[in-house]
C-alpha cells in the first residue's frame, strides 16, 4: 500500500510540474496553434481567425470565427482537424466560446 501511495504522489507531482510549473502544456498549445494557423491559411481561411480554448483549462480544441459560407466552413474545419494534435475544431457562433471573451 505504501508503494502505491508513493507512486501516486510521484505521478501527481510530475504531472503538475510538466503542466504548470514548466509551462509545457501552454507551449504545446502555442505550437499547435501555429500549425493550425498555417493549415488555415493553406486552406484559404482569409478573414477567419483561430484560437484555442485556454480557460478554464488548456484544450486542443480550435475555435474559428469570421465570415464564411457553409462550404468554406466545412473545408476549413476539415483542414484544422487534420492537424496532428488537434482534438476538434468548431465555429464560435455554433456554441463555442472564443478565447478572451
Amino acid at each position: 500500500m505504501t508503494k502505491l501511495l508513493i507512486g501516486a504522489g510521484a505521478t501527481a507531482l510530475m504531472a503538475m510540474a510538466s503542466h504548470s510549473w514548466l509551462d509545457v502544456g501552454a507551449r504545446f498549445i502555442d505550437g499547435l496553434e501555429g500549425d493550425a494557423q498555417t493549415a488555415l491559411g493553406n486552406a484559404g481561411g482569409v478573414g477567419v481567425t483561430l484560437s484555442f480554448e485556454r480557460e478554464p483549462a488548456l484544450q486542443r480544441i480550435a475555435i474559428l470565427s469570421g465570415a464564411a459560407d457553409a462550404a468554406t466552413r466545412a473545408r476549413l474545419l476539415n483542414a484544422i482537424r487534420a492537424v496532428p494534435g488537434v482534438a476538434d475544431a468548431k465555429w464560435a457562433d455554433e456554441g463555442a466560446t472564443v478565447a478572451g471573451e
Side-chain angles (χ1 to χ4, degrees):
M1 181 65 158
T2 303
K3 287 182 181 181
L4 177 66
L5 292 175
I6 291 171
T11 301
L13 285 174
M14 288 188 307
M16 287 189 320
S18 68
H19 292 285
S20 299
W21 302 327
L22 300 177
D23 212 22
V24 172
R27 287 193 313 233
F28 175 78
I29 294 296
D30 290 343
L32 197 58
E33 189 166 9
D35 294 345
Q37 292 284 3
T38 299
L40 180 66
N42 291 341
V46 177
V48 175
T49 60
L50 177 142
S51 64
F52 278 78
E53 293 185 2
R54 296 175 184 265
E55 295 296 332
L58 297 173
Q59 296 186 26
R60 297 177 299 130
I61 300 172
I63 308 299
L64 287 78
S65 59
D69 60 33
T72 302
R73 283 179 171 234
R75 185 180 73 248
L76 296 177
L77 285 176
N78 287 334
I80 301 305
R81 288 175 178 151
V83 174
V86 172
D88 197 7
K90 303 175 185 178
W91 284 91
D93 60 3
E94 294 177 353
T97 58
V98 175
E101 286 190 325

